[in-house]
Amino acid sequence: MSGETPTILSQAEKRERYAEAGLRIAGLVENEPDRIARMAGLVAVLHGAMPHYFWTGFYRVVGDSLVIGPYQGTPGCNRIGWGRGVCGTAWRTGETQVVADVHAFPGHIACDARSASEIVVPVKDRNGRVIAVLDVDSTEAGAFDEVDAEALERLVNQCVAGAV
């Protein structure tokens, strides 16, 4: 896709791509007990499968910060504080954040100025505690919707949250 503008897929196309990606991710993480390895597989497949993804990665809860990695894309913020930006808000609320225009989000952290929209999905352990967030950015405004939210929540729960 060099030089081309990413295309936001239709909802039907997104569902199809997420279904295909889910099969690939399941194959990668099957019998893999390490959560970070599972995260890396999920990120690699999704980042390549979805043309509207610009930055795809996890921030893991380490002490009082979200710490970057694994991820694919341009350099990101190394650490994000509790409640700061879209990622910190997802950590604080425990709810998926779908942001059509990151520049209108109060307290948005601009790790890369090209980011226009974002979705952040919390990853919870078996006790319901947020242990990480999956962060996906797009250079296009309004790139994410309920199809992305449902698919990413399902993939995170199936492929990452249950790993120990």
Side-chain angles (χ1 to χ4, degrees):
M1 249 201 172
S2 62
E4 293 180 27
T5 301
T7 303
I8 300 174
L9 303 171
S10 71
Q11 289 188 330
E13 290 170 319
K14 283 182 181 183
R15 284 186 186 95
E16 184 178 320
R17 295 252 185 137
Y18 281 122
E20 292 169 3
L23 293 173
R24 291 185 59 211
I25 293 164
L28 278 176
V29 302
E30 185 178 10
N31 300 319
E32 175 52 65
D34 185 80
R35 185 176 279 129
I36 293 175
R38 294 168 79 89
M39 289 175 170
L42 184 139
V43 165
V45 171
L46 288 177
H47 193 73
M50 306 304 283
H52 60 295
Y53 282 25
F54 168 70
W55 195 96
T56 312
F58 285 93
Y59 281 93
R60 296 166 292 109
V61 176
V62 179
D64 62 354
S65 297
L66 291 170
V67 178
I68 195 170
Y71 76 96
Q72 291 200 10
T74 59
C77 301
N78 286 333
R79 291 182 180 265
I80 298 173
W82 188 82
R84 291 198 60 230
V86 182
C87 290
T89 298
W91 180 19
R92 180 178 53 79
T93 65
E95 297 175 359
T96 297
Q97 304 292 307
V98 180
V99 181
D101 178 3
V102 295
H103 306 293
F105 189 88
H108 174 253
I109 302 167
C111 298
D112 189 313
R114 294 172 289 178
S115 179
S117 62
E118 184 171 5
I119 184 169
V120 180
V121 177
V123 180
K124 298 178 182 177
D125 67 11
R126 290 188 177 105
N127 298 319
R129 186 185 63 189
V130 176
I131 56 169
V133 297
L134 172 62
D135 178 21
V136 182
D137 291 30
S138 178
T139 57
E140 297 183 59
F144 305 105
D145 59 22
E146 66 274 0
V147 172
D148 298 283
E150 290 168 8
L152 294 175
E153 288 170 356
R154 183 177 58 255
L155 288 168
V156 160
N157 286 328
Q158 291 173 348
C159 301
V160 178
V164 254

